Short mmCIF file of all heavy atoms in Angstrom, two decimals:
data_model
loop_
_atom_site.label_atom_id
_atom_site.label_comp_id
_atom_site.label_asym_id
_atom_site.label_seq_id
_atom_site.Cartn_x
_atom_site.Cartn_y
_atom_site.Cartn_z
N SER M 69 56.11 140.38 178.06
CA SER M 69 56.67 139.37 179.05
C SER M 69 55.82 137.93 178.83
O SER M 69 56.45 137.00 178.84
CB SER M 69 56.63 139.77 180.41
OG SER M 69 57.49 140.82 180.61
N ILE M 70 54.44 138.20 178.74
CA ILE M 70 53.71 137.07 178.51
C ILE M 70 54.02 136.29 177.17
O ILE M 70 54.08 135.11 177.15
CB ILE M 70 52.16 137.42 178.63
CG1 ILE M 70 51.78 137.87 179.99
CG2 ILE M 70 51.23 136.30 178.19
CD1 ILE M 70 50.44 138.47 180.08
N GLY M 71 54.28 137.18 176.18
CA GLY M 71 54.62 136.54 174.85
C GLY M 71 55.94 135.80 174.95
O GLY M 71 55.99 134.66 174.44
N HIS M 72 56.88 136.37 175.71
CA HIS M 72 58.10 135.56 175.77
C HIS M 72 58.06 134.33 176.77
O HIS M 72 58.63 133.34 176.50
CB HIS M 72 59.24 136.61 176.31
CG HIS M 72 59.77 137.54 175.21
ND1 HIS M 72 60.26 137.07 174.05
CD2 HIS M 72 59.68 138.73 175.12
CE1 HIS M 72 60.56 138.07 173.31
NE2 HIS M 72 60.25 139.17 173.94
N TYR M 73 57.18 134.44 177.72
CA TYR M 73 57.02 133.30 178.50
C TYR M 73 56.29 132.24 177.80
O TYR M 73 56.73 130.99 177.83
CB TYR M 73 56.03 133.74 179.78
CG TYR M 73 55.72 132.54 180.75
CD1 TYR M 73 56.54 132.32 181.77
CD2 TYR M 73 54.55 131.88 180.45
CE1 TYR M 73 56.30 131.35 182.63
CE2 TYR M 73 54.22 130.79 181.46
CZ TYR M 73 55.13 130.55 182.49
OH TYR M 73 54.86 129.59 183.30
N ALA M 74 55.32 132.51 176.97
CA ALA M 74 54.58 131.44 176.03
C ALA M 74 55.82 130.87 175.08
O ALA M 74 55.73 129.65 174.87
CB ALA M 74 53.49 132.08 175.30
N ARG M 75 56.61 131.75 174.55
CA ARG M 75 57.62 131.30 173.60
C ARG M 75 58.53 130.38 174.32
O ARG M 75 58.81 129.18 173.78
CB ARG M 75 58.40 132.61 173.04
CG ARG M 75 59.45 132.09 172.19
CD ARG M 75 60.16 133.36 171.63
NE ARG M 75 60.86 134.09 172.73
CZ ARG M 75 62.02 133.65 173.15
NH1 ARG M 75 62.78 132.55 172.67
NH2 ARG M 75 62.65 134.39 174.08
N VAL M 76 59.06 130.75 175.51
CA VAL M 76 60.00 129.95 176.16
C VAL M 76 59.44 128.54 176.48
O VAL M 76 60.24 127.46 176.61
CB VAL M 76 60.53 130.58 177.40
CG1 VAL M 76 61.36 129.80 178.29
CG2 VAL M 76 61.46 131.79 176.97
N HIS M 77 58.19 128.64 176.77
CA HIS M 77 57.47 127.29 177.22
C HIS M 77 56.92 126.65 176.05
O HIS M 77 56.07 125.76 176.14
CB HIS M 77 56.44 127.63 178.30
CG HIS M 77 57.06 127.92 179.54
ND1 HIS M 77 57.54 129.05 179.98
CD2 HIS M 77 57.38 127.01 180.70
CE1 HIS M 77 58.09 128.96 181.12
NE2 HIS M 77 57.89 127.81 181.61
N ARG M 78 57.32 126.94 174.86
CA ARG M 78 57.07 126.35 173.57
C ARG M 78 55.53 126.39 173.31
O ARG M 78 55.11 125.56 172.50
CB ARG M 78 57.67 124.97 173.48
CG ARG M 78 59.13 124.96 173.89
CD ARG M 78 59.73 123.62 173.58
NE ARG M 78 59.85 123.37 172.17
CZ ARG M 78 60.72 123.85 171.18
NH1 ARG M 78 61.49 124.83 171.55
NH2 ARG M 78 60.66 123.35 169.95
N ARG M 79 54.84 127.39 173.72
CA ARG M 79 53.51 127.61 173.36
C ARG M 79 53.45 128.69 172.09
O ARG M 79 53.14 129.78 172.26
CB ARG M 79 52.69 128.27 174.53
CG ARG M 79 52.74 127.47 175.80
CD ARG M 79 51.93 126.16 175.82
NE ARG M 79 50.56 126.48 175.43
CZ ARG M 79 49.65 126.53 176.34
NH1 ARG M 79 49.92 126.38 177.54
NH2 ARG M 79 48.38 126.71 175.89
N PHE M 80 54.13 128.26 171.08
CA PHE M 80 54.32 129.03 169.91
C PHE M 80 53.07 129.72 169.32
O PHE M 80 53.13 130.84 168.85
CB PHE M 80 55.18 128.24 168.80
CG PHE M 80 56.42 127.82 169.36
CD1 PHE M 80 56.77 126.50 169.21
CD2 PHE M 80 57.37 128.69 169.94
CE1 PHE M 80 58.08 125.98 169.55
CE2 PHE M 80 58.67 128.22 170.33
CZ PHE M 80 58.97 126.85 170.23
N ASP M 81 52.07 129.10 169.28
CA ASP M 81 50.69 129.63 168.67
C ASP M 81 50.21 130.77 169.51
O ASP M 81 49.98 131.80 169.00
CB ASP M 81 49.69 128.64 168.62
CG ASP M 81 49.92 127.56 167.54
OD1 ASP M 81 50.78 127.68 166.63
OD2 ASP M 81 49.40 126.33 167.58
N GLU M 82 50.31 130.58 170.85
CA GLU M 82 49.90 131.73 171.69
C GLU M 82 50.86 133.02 171.53
O GLU M 82 50.37 134.07 171.56
CB GLU M 82 49.88 131.25 173.18
CG GLU M 82 48.58 130.40 173.33
CD GLU M 82 48.80 128.94 173.13
OE1 GLU M 82 49.95 128.60 172.65
OE2 GLU M 82 48.14 128.08 173.65
N ALA M 83 52.15 132.69 171.56
CA ALA M 83 53.14 133.62 171.52
C ALA M 83 53.08 134.40 170.15
O ALA M 83 53.21 135.62 169.97
CB ALA M 83 54.51 133.08 171.66
N ARG M 84 52.91 133.60 169.17
CA ARG M 84 52.73 134.18 167.71
C ARG M 84 51.43 135.16 167.62
O ARG M 84 51.55 136.18 167.12
CB ARG M 84 52.72 133.05 166.65
CG ARG M 84 52.78 133.61 165.28
CD ARG M 84 52.78 132.58 164.20
NE ARG M 84 53.92 131.65 164.31
CZ ARG M 84 53.84 130.45 164.61
NH1 ARG M 84 52.62 129.78 165.00
NH2 ARG M 84 55.00 129.82 164.80
N TYR M 85 50.43 134.64 168.17
CA TYR M 85 49.08 135.39 168.22
C TYR M 85 49.44 136.79 168.90
O TYR M 85 49.04 137.86 168.51
CB TYR M 85 48.03 134.53 168.94
CG TYR M 85 46.80 135.52 169.13
CD1 TYR M 85 45.95 135.51 168.00
CD2 TYR M 85 46.34 136.20 170.12
CE1 TYR M 85 44.76 136.23 168.05
CE2 TYR M 85 45.22 136.82 170.24
CZ TYR M 85 44.43 136.91 169.15
OH TYR M 85 43.28 137.69 169.26
N LEU M 86 50.10 136.73 170.16
CA LEU M 86 50.21 137.87 170.96
C LEU M 86 51.12 138.87 170.19
O LEU M 86 50.75 140.03 170.03
CB LEU M 86 50.75 137.64 172.28
CG LEU M 86 50.97 138.70 173.29
CD1 LEU M 86 49.61 139.50 173.49
CD2 LEU M 86 51.50 138.29 174.60
N PHE M 87 52.30 138.41 169.75
CA PHE M 87 53.27 139.20 169.11
C PHE M 87 52.81 139.82 167.78
O PHE M 87 52.93 140.88 167.44
CB PHE M 87 54.62 138.67 168.88
CG PHE M 87 55.37 138.61 170.16
CD1 PHE M 87 55.82 137.28 170.73
CD2 PHE M 87 55.79 139.69 170.87
CE1 PHE M 87 56.51 137.16 171.77
CE2 PHE M 87 56.45 139.62 172.09
CZ PHE M 87 56.88 138.43 172.55
N GLY M 88 51.94 138.88 167.10
CA GLY M 88 51.28 139.47 165.96
C GLY M 88 50.23 140.63 166.04
O GLY M 88 50.17 141.54 165.35
N ARG M 89 49.48 140.56 167.15
CA ARG M 89 48.60 141.53 167.59
C ARG M 89 49.45 142.83 168.05
O ARG M 89 49.09 143.90 167.63
CB ARG M 89 47.68 141.21 168.62
CG ARG M 89 46.67 140.06 168.29
CD ARG M 89 45.80 140.44 167.08
NE ARG M 89 45.07 139.33 166.60
CZ ARG M 89 45.41 138.50 165.49
NH1 ARG M 89 46.63 138.85 164.96
NH2 ARG M 89 44.76 137.65 165.07
N LEU M 90 50.39 142.61 168.63
CA LEU M 90 51.25 143.76 169.07
C LEU M 90 51.92 144.51 167.77
O LEU M 90 52.11 145.66 167.78
CB LEU M 90 52.36 143.38 169.87
CG LEU M 90 51.89 143.05 171.30
CD1 LEU M 90 52.98 142.46 172.30
CD2 LEU M 90 51.34 144.27 172.09
N ALA M 91 52.26 143.63 166.75
CA ALA M 91 52.65 144.14 165.55
C ALA M 91 51.69 144.94 164.83
O ALA M 91 51.98 146.08 164.17
CB ALA M 91 53.18 143.17 164.61
N LEU M 92 50.49 144.61 165.03
CA LEU M 92 49.30 145.37 164.34
C LEU M 92 49.27 146.75 165.18
O LEU M 92 48.90 147.76 164.57
CB LEU M 92 47.95 144.75 164.53
CG LEU M 92 47.93 143.43 163.59
CD1 LEU M 92 46.58 142.78 163.76
CD2 LEU M 92 47.90 143.91 162.05
N LEU M 93 49.43 146.81 166.42
CA LEU M 93 49.26 147.98 167.20
C LEU M 93 50.55 148.79 167.17
O LEU M 93 50.36 150.06 167.24
CB LEU M 93 49.04 147.59 168.75
CG LEU M 93 47.62 147.00 169.08
CD1 LEU M 93 47.72 146.51 170.47
CD2 LEU M 93 46.56 148.03 168.86
N TYR M 94 51.71 148.32 166.96
CA TYR M 94 52.90 149.01 167.01
C TYR M 94 53.71 148.63 165.74
O TYR M 94 54.83 148.06 165.91
CB TYR M 94 53.74 148.66 168.26
CG TYR M 94 53.00 149.08 169.56
CD1 TYR M 94 52.28 148.17 170.27
CD2 TYR M 94 52.97 150.41 169.91
CE1 TYR M 94 51.65 148.54 171.39
CE2 TYR M 94 52.37 150.84 171.14
CZ TYR M 94 51.71 149.80 171.87
OH TYR M 94 51.07 150.25 173.02
N PRO M 95 53.31 149.01 164.57
CA PRO M 95 53.98 148.60 163.35
C PRO M 95 55.38 149.23 163.15
O PRO M 95 56.13 148.72 162.41
CB PRO M 95 53.12 148.88 162.26
CG PRO M 95 52.17 149.97 162.84
CD PRO M 95 52.07 149.74 164.28
N ARG M 96 55.53 150.22 163.73
CA ARG M 96 56.89 151.08 163.59
C ARG M 96 57.84 150.85 164.78
O ARG M 96 58.56 151.61 165.04
CB ARG M 96 56.61 152.47 163.46
CG ARG M 96 55.71 152.83 162.22
CD ARG M 96 55.79 154.20 161.89
NE ARG M 96 54.81 154.64 160.85
CZ ARG M 96 55.05 154.48 159.55
NH1 ARG M 96 56.28 153.97 159.26
NH2 ARG M 96 54.29 154.79 158.67
N ARG M 97 57.56 149.77 165.54
CA ARG M 97 58.45 149.40 166.64
C ARG M 97 59.05 148.03 166.39
O ARG M 97 58.48 147.20 165.68
CB ARG M 97 57.62 149.40 167.99
CG ARG M 97 56.84 150.57 168.42
CD ARG M 97 57.77 151.66 169.06
NE ARG M 97 58.36 151.22 170.27
CZ ARG M 97 57.94 151.22 171.50
NH1 ARG M 97 56.63 151.71 171.71
NH2 ARG M 97 58.47 150.85 172.53
N ALA M 98 60.17 147.87 166.92
CA ALA M 98 60.91 146.59 166.72
C ALA M 98 60.50 145.43 167.47
O ALA M 98 60.55 144.31 167.05
CB ALA M 98 62.52 146.76 166.86
N PHE M 99 59.95 145.56 168.69
CA PHE M 99 59.88 144.52 169.69
C PHE M 99 58.81 143.51 169.16
O PHE M 99 58.99 142.34 169.43
CB PHE M 99 59.50 145.06 171.07
CG PHE M 99 58.14 145.65 171.12
CD1 PHE M 99 57.01 144.89 171.38
CD2 PHE M 99 57.91 147.13 171.02
CE1 PHE M 99 55.72 145.54 171.41
CE2 PHE M 99 56.64 147.65 171.12
CZ PHE M 99 55.45 146.87 171.36
N PRO M 100 57.75 143.72 168.38
CA PRO M 100 56.86 142.70 167.99
C PRO M 100 57.57 141.72 167.04
O PRO M 100 57.41 140.54 167.11
CB PRO M 100 55.62 143.42 167.32
CG PRO M 100 55.76 144.85 167.56
CD PRO M 100 57.13 145.12 168.08
N TYR M 101 58.25 142.37 166.15
CA TYR M 101 59.10 141.59 165.12
C TYR M 101 60.17 140.75 165.80
O TYR M 101 60.53 139.60 165.31
CB TYR M 101 59.45 142.46 164.02
CG TYR M 101 58.49 143.31 163.37
CD1 TYR M 101 58.45 144.67 163.61
CD2 TYR M 101 57.49 142.71 162.65
CE1 TYR M 101 57.35 145.42 163.07
CE2 TYR M 101 56.28 143.42 162.13
CZ TYR M 101 56.17 144.84 162.31
OH TYR M 101 55.32 145.57 161.88
N LEU M 102 60.87 141.29 166.74
CA LEU M 102 61.81 140.55 167.48
C LEU M 102 61.09 139.39 168.20
O LEU M 102 61.63 138.22 167.97
CB LEU M 102 62.50 141.40 168.60
CG LEU M 102 63.37 142.52 168.03
CD1 LEU M 102 63.83 143.40 169.15
CD2 LEU M 102 64.61 141.93 167.23
N GLY M 103 60.01 139.54 168.80
CA GLY M 103 59.30 138.45 169.40
C GLY M 103 59.01 137.36 168.32
O GLY M 103 59.13 136.11 168.61
N LEU M 104 58.46 137.77 167.26
CA LEU M 104 57.98 136.92 166.21
C LEU M 104 59.24 136.22 165.73
O LEU M 104 59.26 134.92 165.32
CB LEU M 104 57.33 137.56 165.12
CG LEU M 104 55.81 138.00 165.47
CD1 LEU M 104 55.23 139.00 164.48
CD2 LEU M 104 54.86 136.86 165.66
N GLY M 105 60.33 136.93 165.47
CA GLY M 105 61.51 136.37 164.97
C GLY M 105 62.15 135.21 166.02
O GLY M 105 62.54 134.26 165.50
N LEU M 106 62.14 135.51 167.18
CA LEU M 106 62.61 134.56 168.20
C LEU M 106 61.77 133.33 168.25
O LEU M 106 62.24 132.19 168.48
CB LEU M 106 62.60 135.21 169.62
CG LEU M 106 63.82 136.23 169.79
CD1 LEU M 106 63.50 137.06 171.11
CD2 LEU M 106 65.15 135.58 169.78
N ILE M 107 60.39 133.46 168.00
CA ILE M 107 59.61 132.15 167.93
C ILE M 107 60.04 131.35 166.84
O ILE M 107 60.27 130.17 167.01
CB ILE M 107 58.21 132.57 167.67
CG1 ILE M 107 57.64 133.36 168.83
CG2 ILE M 107 57.29 131.39 167.33
CD1 ILE M 107 56.20 134.00 168.62
N GLU M 108 60.40 131.97 165.61
CA GLU M 108 60.80 131.20 164.46
C GLU M 108 62.16 130.68 164.72
O GLU M 108 62.61 129.53 164.21
CB GLU M 108 60.78 132.13 163.22
CG GLU M 108 59.45 132.48 162.80
CD GLU M 108 58.47 131.27 162.75
OE1 GLU M 108 58.81 130.25 162.09
OE2 GLU M 108 57.31 131.31 163.07
N LEU M 109 63.18 131.49 165.27
CA LEU M 109 64.43 130.95 165.73
C LEU M 109 64.40 129.76 166.69
O LEU M 109 64.98 128.76 166.48
CB LEU M 109 65.18 132.11 166.40
CG LEU M 109 66.73 131.84 166.60
CD1 LEU M 109 67.44 131.77 165.29
CD2 LEU M 109 67.25 133.13 167.43
N ASP M 110 63.46 129.78 167.62
CA ASP M 110 63.27 128.72 168.55
C ASP M 110 62.79 127.33 167.78
O ASP M 110 63.07 126.32 168.24
CB ASP M 110 62.18 129.04 169.63
CG ASP M 110 62.66 129.98 170.63
OD1 ASP M 110 63.92 130.21 170.79
OD2 ASP M 110 61.84 130.55 171.44
N ARG M 111 62.08 127.63 166.69
CA ARG M 111 61.48 126.58 165.86
C ARG M 111 62.55 126.14 164.75
O ARG M 111 62.21 125.21 164.02
CB ARG M 111 60.34 126.92 165.19
CG ARG M 111 59.14 127.28 166.31
CD ARG M 111 57.83 127.60 165.61
NE ARG M 111 57.20 126.53 164.93
CZ ARG M 111 56.90 126.60 163.56
NH1 ARG M 111 57.03 127.73 163.00
NH2 ARG M 111 56.52 125.60 162.91
N ALA M 112 63.73 126.62 164.76
CA ALA M 112 64.79 126.28 163.84
C ALA M 112 64.35 126.77 162.45
O ALA M 112 64.87 126.24 161.48
CB ALA M 112 65.28 124.94 163.91
N ASN M 113 63.53 127.69 162.18
CA ASN M 113 63.00 128.20 161.01
C ASN M 113 63.89 129.60 160.79
O ASN M 113 63.21 130.72 160.86
CB ASN M 113 61.56 128.51 160.96
CG ASN M 113 60.92 128.83 159.63
OD1 ASN M 113 61.72 128.92 158.70
ND2 ASN M 113 59.68 128.86 159.55
N TYR M 114 65.12 129.38 160.35
CA TYR M 114 65.96 130.45 160.31
C TYR M 114 65.60 131.40 159.15
O TYR M 114 65.69 132.71 159.32
CB TYR M 114 67.36 129.98 160.09
CG TYR M 114 67.82 129.07 161.24
CD1 TYR M 114 68.30 127.75 160.99
CD2 TYR M 114 67.67 129.31 162.64
CE1 TYR M 114 68.67 126.85 161.95
CE2 TYR M 114 67.92 128.47 163.65
CZ TYR M 114 68.50 127.40 163.33
OH TYR M 114 68.86 126.41 164.43
N PRO M 115 65.24 130.94 157.95
CA PRO M 115 64.99 131.97 156.97
C PRO M 115 63.68 132.86 157.36
O PRO M 115 63.67 134.13 157.18
CB PRO M 115 64.43 131.03 155.85
CG PRO M 115 65.12 129.69 155.97
CD PRO M 115 65.28 129.55 157.49
N SER M 116 62.66 132.33 158.00
CA SER M 116 61.45 133.14 158.59
C SER M 116 61.99 134.08 159.51
O SER M 116 61.54 135.22 159.71
CB SER M 116 60.42 132.19 158.95
OG SER M 116 59.90 131.59 157.86
N ALA M 117 62.86 133.60 160.45
CA ALA M 117 63.37 134.39 161.60
C ALA M 117 64.18 135.62 161.04
O ALA M 117 63.92 136.67 161.46
CB ALA M 117 64.16 133.57 162.53
N ALA M 118 64.93 135.27 160.05
CA ALA M 118 65.84 136.28 159.33
C ALA M 118 64.90 137.41 158.79
O ALA M 118 65.14 138.73 158.90
CB ALA M 118 66.76 135.83 158.40
N LEU M 119 63.74 136.95 158.08
CA LEU M 119 62.84 137.99 157.55
C LEU M 119 62.21 138.86 158.71
O LEU M 119 62.11 140.11 158.45
CB LEU M 119 61.76 137.24 156.74
CG LEU M 119 62.23 136.66 155.53
CD1 LEU M 119 60.94 135.78 154.84
CD2 LEU M 119 62.79 137.70 154.38
N LEU M 120 61.90 138.30 159.79
CA LEU M 120 61.22 139.05 160.72
C LEU M 120 62.21 140.05 161.44
O LEU M 120 61.81 141.18 161.78
CB LEU M 120 60.55 138.00 161.93
CG LEU M 120 59.40 137.38 161.21
CD1 LEU M 120 59.03 136.13 162.09
CD2 LEU M 120 58.13 138.31 161.30
N PHE M 121 63.56 139.54 161.57
CA PHE M 121 64.49 140.40 162.25
C PHE M 121 64.75 141.55 161.17
O PHE M 121 65.04 142.71 161.56
CB PHE M 121 65.70 139.74 162.64
CG PHE M 121 65.46 138.75 163.71
CD1 PHE M 121 66.10 137.39 163.66
CD2 PHE M 121 64.69 139.00 164.91
CE1 PHE M 121 65.80 136.56 164.68
CE2 PHE M 121 64.48 138.32 165.91
CZ PHE M 121 65.11 136.86 165.79
N GLY M 122 64.64 141.31 159.85
CA GLY M 122 64.80 142.33 158.86
C GLY M 122 63.69 143.41 158.87
O GLY M 122 63.95 144.49 158.76
N ARG M 123 62.48 142.84 159.24
CA ARG M 123 61.34 143.81 159.45
C ARG M 123 61.58 144.63 160.66
O ARG M 123 61.24 145.82 160.67
CB ARG M 123 59.99 143.05 159.58
CG ARG M 123 59.62 142.37 158.22
CD ARG M 123 58.28 141.94 158.14
NE ARG M 123 57.34 143.09 158.30
CZ ARG M 123 56.10 142.82 158.50
NH1 ARG M 123 55.46 141.67 158.62
NH2 ARG M 123 55.18 143.84 158.73
N ALA M 124 62.20 143.98 161.72
CA ALA M 124 62.38 144.91 162.86
C ALA M 124 63.48 145.98 162.60
O ALA M 124 63.31 147.24 162.99
CB ALA M 124 62.99 143.96 163.99
N LEU M 125 64.39 145.70 161.68
CA LEU M 125 65.36 146.71 161.31
C LEU M 125 64.67 147.64 160.27
O LEU M 125 65.17 148.91 160.49
CB LEU M 125 66.51 146.03 160.55
CG LEU M 125 67.62 145.50 161.45
CD1 LEU M 125 68.71 144.70 160.49
CD2 LEU M 125 68.31 146.65 162.14
N GLU M 126 63.76 147.29 159.55
CA GLU M 126 63.01 148.31 158.72
C GLU M 126 62.22 149.20 159.66
O GLU M 126 62.16 150.41 159.42
CB GLU M 126 62.08 147.58 157.80
CG GLU M 126 62.70 146.86 156.63
CD GLU M 126 61.70 145.98 155.95
OE1 GLU M 126 60.55 146.05 156.12
OE2 GLU M 126 62.23 145.18 155.02
N ALA M 127 61.69 148.79 160.72
CA ALA M 127 60.91 149.59 161.54
C ALA M 127 61.94 150.54 162.38
O ALA M 127 61.46 151.63 162.54
CB ALA M 127 60.13 148.70 162.53
N VAL M 128 63.00 149.96 162.87
CA VAL M 128 63.94 150.72 163.64
C VAL M 128 65.31 150.34 163.17
O VAL M 128 65.97 149.44 163.65
CB VAL M 128 63.74 150.29 165.16
CG1 VAL M 128 64.76 151.17 166.04
CG2 VAL M 128 62.47 150.48 165.62
N PRO M 129 65.87 151.15 162.13
CA PRO M 129 67.08 150.90 161.58
C PRO M 129 68.15 150.80 162.50
O PRO M 129 69.35 150.17 162.18
CB PRO M 129 67.24 152.02 160.54
CG PRO M 129 65.88 152.50 160.25
CD PRO M 129 65.22 152.28 161.51
N ASP M 130 68.27 151.43 163.65
CA ASP M 130 69.34 151.40 164.62
C ASP M 130 69.17 150.39 165.75
O ASP M 130 69.85 150.49 166.76
CB ASP M 130 69.72 152.93 165.10
CG ASP M 130 68.50 153.35 165.89
OD1 ASP M 130 67.40 152.97 165.68
OD2 ASP M 130 68.78 154.34 166.58
N SER M 131 68.21 149.40 165.53
CA SER M 131 68.03 148.42 166.67
C SER M 131 69.17 147.52 166.64
O SER M 131 69.47 146.72 165.73
CB SER M 131 66.75 147.66 166.32
OG SER M 131 66.65 146.59 167.15
N VAL M 132 69.95 147.49 167.67
CA VAL M 132 71.26 146.68 167.80
C VAL M 132 70.68 145.19 168.03
O VAL M 132 71.36 144.29 167.42
CB VAL M 132 72.03 147.13 169.02
CG1 VAL M 132 73.14 146.15 169.40
CG2 VAL M 132 72.55 148.59 168.74
N LEU M 133 69.66 145.05 168.78
CA LEU M 133 69.15 143.58 169.06
C LEU M 133 68.69 143.04 167.63
O LEU M 133 68.98 141.81 167.33
CB LEU M 133 67.96 143.57 170.02
CG LEU M 133 68.49 143.59 171.34
CD1 LEU M 133 67.16 143.64 172.32
CD2 LEU M 133 69.30 142.32 171.75
N ALA M 134 68.04 143.81 166.83
CA ALA M 134 67.59 143.17 165.53
C ALA M 134 68.90 142.87 164.65
O ALA M 134 68.81 141.80 163.97
CB ALA M 134 66.70 144.24 164.87
N ARG M 135 69.77 143.69 164.65
CA ARG M 135 71.05 143.34 163.95
C ARG M 135 71.64 142.12 164.43
O ARG M 135 72.17 141.30 163.77
CB ARG M 135 72.09 144.60 164.00
CG ARG M 135 71.69 145.74 163.25
CD ARG M 135 72.64 146.83 163.27
NE ARG M 135 72.25 147.92 162.51
CZ ARG M 135 72.34 148.11 161.22
NH1 ARG M 135 72.81 147.04 160.48
NH2 ARG M 135 71.96 149.18 160.57
N ALA M 136 71.76 142.12 165.74
CA ALA M 136 72.47 140.89 166.36
C ALA M 136 71.67 139.54 166.03
O ALA M 136 72.28 138.49 165.57
CB ALA M 136 72.51 140.91 167.86
N TRP M 137 70.42 139.57 166.19
CA TRP M 137 69.62 138.44 165.83
C TRP M 137 69.65 138.05 164.49
O TRP M 137 69.64 136.93 164.05
CB TRP M 137 68.16 138.50 166.34
CG TRP M 137 68.16 138.33 168.00
CD1 TRP M 137 67.67 139.21 168.74
CD2 TRP M 137 68.52 137.05 168.71
NE1 TRP M 137 67.90 138.76 170.12
CE2 TRP M 137 68.33 137.37 169.99
CE3 TRP M 137 68.95 135.83 168.41
CZ2 TRP M 137 68.44 136.38 170.95
CZ3 TRP M 137 69.17 135.01 169.23
CH2 TRP M 137 68.87 135.21 170.57
N LEU M 138 69.67 139.06 163.47
CA LEU M 138 69.70 138.89 162.03
C LEU M 138 70.95 138.14 161.72
O LEU M 138 71.08 137.15 161.00
CB LEU M 138 69.42 140.15 161.36
CG LEU M 138 69.65 140.07 159.81
CD1 LEU M 138 68.57 138.99 159.27
CD2 LEU M 138 69.41 141.44 159.08
N GLY M 139 72.09 138.76 162.35
CA GLY M 139 73.47 138.11 162.07
C GLY M 139 73.48 136.65 162.57
O GLY M 139 74.12 135.79 161.84
#
Side-chain angles (χ1 to χ4, degrees):
S69 295
I70 291 168
H72 285 297
Y73 181 84
R75 178 185 64 79
V76 168
H77 288 81
R78 308 193 65 75
R79 304 289 302 261
F80 297 129
D81 291 338
E82 289 88 347
R84 189 178 297 113
Y85 178 83
L86 182 57
F87 284 120
R89 295 306 169 262
L90 289 172
L92 291 174
L93 291 170
Y94 299 97
R96 298 193 187 278
R97 302 278 302 269
F99 70 85
Y101 306 111
L102 290 171
L104 290 166
L106 288 171
I107 293 165
E108 296 306 315
L109 191 64
D110 289 344
R111 296 179 67 234
N113 188 354
Y114 307 127
S116 292
L119 287 173
L120 289 160
F121 294 135
R123 288 195 63 194
L125 273 175
E126 288 172 10
V128 183
D130 59 344
S131 172
V132 176
L133 279 174
R135 287 183 182 281
W137 284 116
L138 179 56

